Amino acid sequence: MRNIPTGRSGGFGFGLSGPVPRDVLILLGIVFATFSMSFFAVSAPLYRMLRLSPAAWQSGFLWQLVTYPFVGTGAPGIWFILELLILFLFARTVFYQLGRRKFWRLLILLSLSAAVAALAVDLIASLVTDSRPWQQAFVLMQGQRMLLVLLIALFAVLNQNATILLFFVLPVQAKWFLLLEILFAFLGFLGTKDFPGLVGICTGVGLTVAYFGRGTGIGLFSGALRELWLRAQAAWFRFQLGRVKQKRGMRIVPDDKNKGNWVH
């Protein structure tokens, strides 16, 4: 069993006051600098090479497995600033609880594992079909979005009984953020069809729970996360069956005698 520090929202400096680790400032600076690179013609090609893309397995751009979470993404505006603010709040608290070495090690290993899982889905899909349903893969897990997913998940398992104001208004226990992250990712998947990105986010959250979850009282979330994952898989298979039906003119109906199987 791992020793997991727990506390309440005011017991670990979750706010804007107090000392700020230099590592967190460096992290925010890197995200902002790379985000700015995308808006200049001279640096935009480098920016695209650092983001996670199918080129990681198609052309051997393996550095993307490590660089992608530190490459800021999105449109310039208040939402990007708000994401950086939330990133700052969670990163500072998690950094103090884990320490410098463990903070960076977990952040890199978890994001790397999430990228491998997402790329595996994209690779398998390319072998199965010529036209993948997602127009832009990995959009759900690019840049600060992946950092937010991992840091919020880490915060949730380290401070499961803490109370956080969701949207700065609704008080929610930190452990529920694990399920909320999966829910928001699934809603994003419905809008983007980015199944690799959904798999990457579920992998990152799932591995965080697996690493810290034993003996913390949040083991029940592993079953809930598995249920959500199975539902996402079922939705994906139904989508694929619909595409096959349209492409080949096949009539696909459920087999009443063997529930869960399909005949055509």
Side-chain angles (χ1 to χ4, degrees):
M1 181 186 303
R2 301 179 187 277
N3 294 322
I4 308 298
T6 59
R8 304 189 177 208
S9 56
F12 37 76
F14 192 81
L16 294 174
S17 61
V20 180
R22 183 176 59 181
D23 296 63
V24 173
L25 294 178
I26 293 174
L27 176 62
L28 294 174
I30 292 174
V31 171
F32 185 83
T34 52
F35 170 78
S36 302
M37 288 170 54
S38 65
F39 300 97
F40 298 95
V42 65
S43 56
L46 176 60
Y47 171 84
R48 290 191 292 269
M49 291 186 67
L50 295 176
R51 287 165 55 92
L52 188 64
S53 70
W57 64 264
Q58 291 175 345
S59 304
F61 291 179
L62 298 181
W63 61 82
Q64 294 181 355
L65 298 172
V66 178
T67 59
Y68 82 95
F70 307 105
V71 181
T73 188
I78 187 63
W79 179 247
F80 177 75
I81 298 299
L82 182 60
E83 285 182 321
L84 290 186
L85 173 61
I86 298 174
L87 180 63
F88 164 77
L89 294 175
F90 283 100
R92 186 180 66 169
T93 301
V94 171
F95 181 87
Y96 278 131
Q97 292 183 299
L98 293 178
R100 174 180 287 110
R101 179 176 298 180
K102 198 169 187 179
F103 174 86
W104 288 110
R105 184 178 64 192
L106 282 177
L107 208 56
I108 292 175
L109 288 179
L110 290 172
S111 59
L112 175 63
S113 301
V116 170
L119 285 171
V121 171
D122 191 66
L123 173 60
I124 293 172
S126 70
L127 298 176
V128 174
T129 177
D130 294 333
S131 57
R132 297 189 286 281
W134 45 85
Q135 296 181 351
Q136 187 178 4
F138 320 118
V139 65
L140 292 177
M141 55 184 292
Q142 291 285 6
Q144 74 277 3
R145 296 166 185 168
M146 194 67 216
L147 291 177
L148 282 170
V149 166
L150 296 179
L151 287 170
I152 292 174
L154 286 168
F155 179 89
V157 296
L158 291 170
N159 308 277
Q160 54 184 299
N161 296 320
T163 299
I164 302 299
L165 294 179
L166 182 62
F167 304 125
F168 303 102
V169 175
L170 182 65
V172 177
Q173 269 194 321
K175 60 184 179 182
W176 290 106
F177 274 73
L178 296 168
L179 291 179
L180 288 174
E181 286 193 303
I182 302 300
L183 174 61
F184 291 152
F186 183 72
L187 293 176
F189 160 73
L190 295 178
T192 63
K193 301 300 186 294
D194 179 17
F195 190 65
L198 175 62
V199 171
I201 289 176
C202 290
T203 299
V205 174
L207 289 178
T208 303
V209 173
Y211 185 84
F212 287 107
R214 183 176 300 177
T216 64
I218 60 175
L220 60 96
F221 286 107
S222 60
L225 291 175
R226 176 176 173 79
E227 178 66 21
L228 287 172
W229 168 243
L230 292 176
R231 288 181 180 275
Q233 281 185 314
W236 167 249
F237 289 138
R238 287 194 296 269
F239 179 80
Q240 286 293 86
L241 287 171
R243 295 189 64 221
V244 172
K245 178 181 177 181
Q246 293 177 355
K247 184 176 181 180
R248 301 184 180 180
M250 300 171 64
R251 188 177 174 217
I252 304 175
V253 296
D255 185 353
D256 294 332
K257 294 182 180 180
N258 301 298
K259 293 183 179 181
N261 298 326
W262 296 82
V263 296
H264 60 273

